[in-house]
């Protein structure tokens, strides 16, 4: 049995982190990453709309293996984050493993070769081709495929119309009349930016949101110096931010204690909204659902922008769109030059639009429909799909912590439970058991029951079957603990070599750093030093060496 090969789909943050793990942690080079875009970055390359940025502290939204001491501020804008993704790729020599402008159409498990046959289309030439690999890993993420909406007559509109994830930068909206449909996180970033230059902006915001203050100061020169030159200082700040963000989850859980804490946070949010937004909007800005039922918005100056004279927000639906504008549900019409669809992403449709066929000839989408939505053991493994892993998969989305942390936890888990056993030839085929998958998923949904994530509001957590296939029910730290605990009997393993432990030893020797070797020697000597006979031997050896040196010098 030869060495396995790996195909990874996607060069977003999770794809970059997986590439680093394969190359530098596992010492493995036989992998290729295919990306439909023309470069790395995933969502940060796709989303280029005005005002795009991170709503999690950027120090926390960083790779654990490449902390960046040069962040300009607490919550950085999209271009700066994309630059960080690019520089990380080059710093660790990952780009040579990546092939761009290649779209994955789907894949099928080949029982005869026990490999994945993966179908691709070259975006530049239109040529379709197949590549095979022992392991297939999806790193496409959950925020990759825009959620398109349909309104009667929208194909008749004569102006510019596009989704925030497909922002048309050739359109000059300065002095134009704009409509923004939606009021989620992307809309809250777009509106304050475009309202400065557009003649008029009307936002259709049918559902209210919970808004919170979002301090976002620039880092001082002293802080940047400390990040760069004080050992572990940035890691310490990163840990502090992680714990602070993780503590927010305590307001989302069922129970009296969580309800009291949630009420206090909601009251604080109400006061903030009332202090910033015009009074004419107060009656529909405050949600009637509990905090956390929808993703909270840490305000990027959106509420302040509502005071602009050229902005109008309406909690109305849309009846239709015609050649020149939007017809509201009450029959009135507004004319626009540009319509922006800030309608989010198809988070529930993992791996869309790829068609993955498992060992029984059934597609992943069909199997998930039979389970009333996407599901995977630890958000990574699906039965009937051997040697296949999903990153940032079902029920792994943290409530309000770093999505990159959740991805890296999954990557470490996949490396330990799938990649290492295959690389060491401990097995040639690894597949999660159906019972293990179902029990884990049932446990997660049991924990979600009674939480704010299923409080009845319209959110992107809930699919068409009323099932939450997105949220992790607890703390991000709990997800890390869950992934760290070894569990036996979860997987079915076939093939492998009886001498697999020799390959593991060889790989360990190749990939262990000199620092780890030095620390091991130090601890070994420290342990021996506690032995009186060993100390006596060292002192006698030193004494003999000094005596010999003295004799040589006297000559």
């Amino acid at each position: 049995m030869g060495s396995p090969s790996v195909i990874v789909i996607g060069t977003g943050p999770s794809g970059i982190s997986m590439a680093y793990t394969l190359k530098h942690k596992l010492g493995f080079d036989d992998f290729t990453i295919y990306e439909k875009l023309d470069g790395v970055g995933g969502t940060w390359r796709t989303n280029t709309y005005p005002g795009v940025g991170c709503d999690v502290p950027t120090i926390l939204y960083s790779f654990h293996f490449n902390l960046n001491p040069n962040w300009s501020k607490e919550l950085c804008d999209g271009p700066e984050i994309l630059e960080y993704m690019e520089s990380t790729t080059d710093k660790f020599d990952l780009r040579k493993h990546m092939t761009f402008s290649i779209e994955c159409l789907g894949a099928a498990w080949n029982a005869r070769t026990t490999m994945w046959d993966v179908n691709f289309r070259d975006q530049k030439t239109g040529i379709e081709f197949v590549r095979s690999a022992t392991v297939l890993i999806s790193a496409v993420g959950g925020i990759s495929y825009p959620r398109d909406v349909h309104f009667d007559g929208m194909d008749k509109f004569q102006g510019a119309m596009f989704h925030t994830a497909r922002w048309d930068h050739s359109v000059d909206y300065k002095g134009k009349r704009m409509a923004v449909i939606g009021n989620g996180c992307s809309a809250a970033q777009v509106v304050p930016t475009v309202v400065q230059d557009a003649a008029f902006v009307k936002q259709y915001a049918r559902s209210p949101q919970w808004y919170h203050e979002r301090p976002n100061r620039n880092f001082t020169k002293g802080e940047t110096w400390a990040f760069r030159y004080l050992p572990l200082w940035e890691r310490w700040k990163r840990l502090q931010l992680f714990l602070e963000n993780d503590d927010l989850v305590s307001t989302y859980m069922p129970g009296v204690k969580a309800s009291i804490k949630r009420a206090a946070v909601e009251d604080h949010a109400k006061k903030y909204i009332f202090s910033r937004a015009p009074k004419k909007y107060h009656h529909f800005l405050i949600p009637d659902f509990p905090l956390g039922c929808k993703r909270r918005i840490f305000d990027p100056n959106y509420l302040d922008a509502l005071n602009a004279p050229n902005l109008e927000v309406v909690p109305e639906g849309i009846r239709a769109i015609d050649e020149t504008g939007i017809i509201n549900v009450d029959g009135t019409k507004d004319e626009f030059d540009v319509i922006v669809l800030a309608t989010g992403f198809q988070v529930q449709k993992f791996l869309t639009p790829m068609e993955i066929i498992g060992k029984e000839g059934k597609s992943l989408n069909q199997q998930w429909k039979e389970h009333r939505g996407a599901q995977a053991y630890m958000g990574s493994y699906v039965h009937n799909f051997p040697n296949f892993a999903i990153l940032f998969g079902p029920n792994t989305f943290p409530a309000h912590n770093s999505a990159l942390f959740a991805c890296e936890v999954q990557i470490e888990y996949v490396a330990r439970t799938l990649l290492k056993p295959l690389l060491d030839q401990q097995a040639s085929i690894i597949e999660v058991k159906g019972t293990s998958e179902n029990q884990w998923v049932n446990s997660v949904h049991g924990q979600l029951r009674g939480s704010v994530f299923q409080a009845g509001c319209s959110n992107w957590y809930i699919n068409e079957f009323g099932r939450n296939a997105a949220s992790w029910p607890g703390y991000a730290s709990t997800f890390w603990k869950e992934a760290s605990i070894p569990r036996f009997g979860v997987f079915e393993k076939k093939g492998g070599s009886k001498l697999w432990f020799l390959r593991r030893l060889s790989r360990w020797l190749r990939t262990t750093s000199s620092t780890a070797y030095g620390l091991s020697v130090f601890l070994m000597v420290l342990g021996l030093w506690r032995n009186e006979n060993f100390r006596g031997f060292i002192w006698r050896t030193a004494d003999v060496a000094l005596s010999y040196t003295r004799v040589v010098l006297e000559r």
Side-chain angles (χ1 to χ4, degrees):
M1 181 176 63
S3 178
S5 56
V6 178
I7 285 178
V8 181
I9 309 300
T11 61
S14 58
I16 295 171
S17 186
M18 175 53 79
Y20 171 84
T21 297
L22 285 164
K23 187 177 184 66
H24 295 284
K25 287 190 174 183
L26 301 180
F28 181 72
D29 274 322
D30 193 7
F31 69 94
T32 305
I33 305 183
Y34 293 92
E35 171 59 64
K36 67 180 179 180
L37 303 177
D38 60 357
V40 301
T43 189
W44 299 108
R45 181 169 291 273
T46 300
N47 289 274
T48 59
Y49 58 81
V52 62
C54 192
D55 62 354
V56 172
T58 323
I59 288 178
L60 183 55
Y61 190 85
S62 304
F63 297 113
H64 76 280
F65 57 87
N66 188 33
L67 298 192
N68 179 18
N70 301 313
W71 292 121
S72 64
K73 53 188 176 181
E74 291 180 320
L75 297 102
C76 291
D77 298 329
E80 188 172 354
I81 296 173
L82 179 59
E83 182 182 354
Y84 168 68
M85 299 290 166
E86 295 269 17
S87 65
T88 299
T89 301
D90 292 328
K91 178 179 178 179
F92 295 98
D93 193 27
L94 305 176
R95 198 175 295 272
K96 67 184 181 183
H97 295 276
M98 300 174 175
T99 304
F100 300 106
S101 299
I102 303 292
E103 181 183 10
C104 179
L105 304 177
W109 175 255
N110 189 322
R112 181 180 59 83
T113 63
T114 63
M115 299 181 77
W116 283 99
D117 295 330
V118 190
N119 303 307
F120 294 100
R121 179 192 293 125
D122 190 317
Q123 301 275 61
K124 295 182 178 180
T125 66
I127 295 175
E128 296 186 8
F129 58 93
V130 178
R131 294 290 181 267
S132 298
T134 314
V135 180
L136 176 62
I137 298 175
S138 168
V140 299
I143 308 177
S144 60
Y145 204 76
R147 185 172 73 89
D148 291 322
V149 293
H150 177 76
F151 298 103
D152 290 342
M154 65 187 301
D155 56 327
K156 300 177 183 178
F157 184 63
Q158 298 299 306
M161 181 188 299
F162 44 81
H163 193 279
T164 51
R166 302 186 182 109
W167 193 275
D168 188 347
H169 290 277
S170 68
V171 175
D172 182 8
Y173 58 83
K174 188 174 183 179
K176 303 289 180 64
R177 293 176 60 86
M178 296 183 70
V180 177
I181 301 174
N183 68 323
C185 295
S186 55
Q189 293 178 338
V190 166
V191 169
T193 307
V194 299
V195 76
Q196 300 176 40
D197 296 315
F200 173 72
V201 177
K202 185 169 185 177
Q203 182 187 10
Y204 292 83
R206 292 185 61 185
S207 177
Q209 305 279 357
W210 284 108
Y211 297 95
H212 310 266
E213 54 264 73
R214 181 183 185 255
N216 189 19
R217 62 181 183 81
N218 292 332
F219 288 122
T220 65
K221 290 182 178 179
E223 287 174 308
T224 303
W225 182 91
F227 294 151
R228 192 172 299 159
Y229 298 112
L230 292 184
L232 302 180
W233 180 251
E234 189 172 4
R235 290 201 179 277
W236 170 244
K237 298 298 292 184
R238 188 171 183 258
L239 177 60
Q240 286 182 312
L241 289 167
F242 174 83
L243 295 174
E244 289 172 6
N245 279 265
D246 216 25
D247 186 58
L248 296 174
V249 180
S250 63
T251 62
Y252 303 155
M253 298 297 102
V256 176
K257 186 176 180 181
S259 297
I260 294 173
K261 190 171 185 178
R262 186 162 58 247
V265 179
E266 289 175 353
D267 185 61
H268 183 81
K270 290 176 184 178
K271 291 177 181 177
Y272 174 73
I273 294 170
F274 290 155
S275 70
R276 295 288 185 175
K279 192 172 183 179
K280 62 181 178 179
Y281 296 141
H282 287 186
H283 66 286
F284 68 80
L285 278 178
I286 302 299
D288 58 0
F289 51 80
L291 181 84
C293 188
K294 290 192 175 192
R295 186 171 175 86
R296 297 159 68 176
I297 296 179
F298 289 83
D299 182 20
N301 300 319
Y302 169 76
L303 295 179
D304 286 339
L306 299 185
N307 294 282
N310 62 330
L311 173 64
E312 180 184 359
V313 182
V314 292
E316 299 175 3
I318 295 172
R319 177 185 295 178
I321 297 177
D322 64 11
E323 292 83 355
T324 58
I326 294 176
I327 303 170
N328 304 318
V329 290
D330 62 2
T332 61
K333 178 184 173 181
D334 291 289
E335 295 191 347
F336 298 104
D337 303 299
V338 182
I339 297 177
V340 176
L341 304 173
T343 52
F345 295 83
Q346 296 186 35
V347 178
Q348 292 287 343
K349 296 184 178 180
F350 296 88
L351 281 71
T352 298
M354 296 184 292
E355 190 78 352
I356 311 297
I357 309 297
K359 68 178 187 180
E360 295 184 351
K362 184 184 297 183
S363 74
L364 184 60
N365 288 330
Q366 179 59 36
Q367 182 166 308
W368 278 346
K369 285 180 181 178
E370 294 172 5
H371 287 88
R372 290 176 293 176
Q375 67 173 48
Y377 181 81
M378 285 299 297
S380 300
Y381 298 122
V382 184
H383 71 285
N384 293 328
F385 293 81
N387 292 3
F388 173 66
I390 306 170
L391 304 181
F392 208 34
N395 292 116
T396 61
F397 289 53
H400 202 88
N401 211 314
S402 173
L404 191 50
F405 172 82
C407 287
E408 292 196 319
V409 167
Q410 276 193 292
I411 289 167
E412 290 294 321
Y413 181 72
V414 168
R416 188 180 82 246
T417 56
L418 177 67
L419 296 175
K420 287 182 181 179
L422 292 176
L423 292 178
D424 299 337
Q425 295 185 2
Q426 190 176 357
S428 59
I429 299 176
I430 299 177
E431 178 190 345
V432 70
K433 295 178 180 177
T435 52
S436 300
E437 177 189 324
N438 289 329
Q439 288 170 17
W440 188 85
V441 171
N442 289 340
S443 173
V444 167
H445 283 277
Q447 296 173 60
L448 285 169
R449 201 170 297 116
S451 70
V452 297
F453 305 117
Q454 299 192 185
C457 69
S458 173
N459 60 40
W460 52 260
Y461 308 136
I462 310 298
N463 64 17
E464 66 268 31
F465 304 106
R467 198 166 188 237
N468 186 335
S471 301
W472 170 249
Y475 298 93
S477 55
T478 306
F479 184 62
W480 170 77
K481 293 175 186 175
E482 183 82 6
S484 302
I485 299 172
R487 302 188 188 280
F488 303 98
V490 171
F491 300 96
E492 292 181 351
K493 299 180 180 180
K494 299 178 181 179
S497 168
K498 293 181 180 180
L499 300 177
W500 63 268
F501 59 90
L502 295 178
R503 291 180 62 89
R504 176 159 298 182
L505 177 61
S506 172
R507 181 176 54 77
W508 185 85
L509 292 172
R510 285 186 292 105
T511 58
T512 301
S513 66
S514 57
T515 302
Y517 280 126
L519 182 60
S520 299
V521 172
F522 172 75
L523 292 174
M524 186 183 301
V525 172
L526 187 63
L528 291 171
W529 187 258
R530 300 176 64 182
N531 184 283
E532 186 176 345
N533 292 331
F534 179 76
R535 290 201 305 271
F537 170 76
I538 293 296
W539 289 123
R540 286 193 299 274
T541 302
D543 187 54
V544 170
L546 288 172
S547 298
Y548 177 77
T549 303
R550 190 180 301 112
V551 170
V552 172
L553 291 175
E554 288 175 354
R555 288 180 179 177

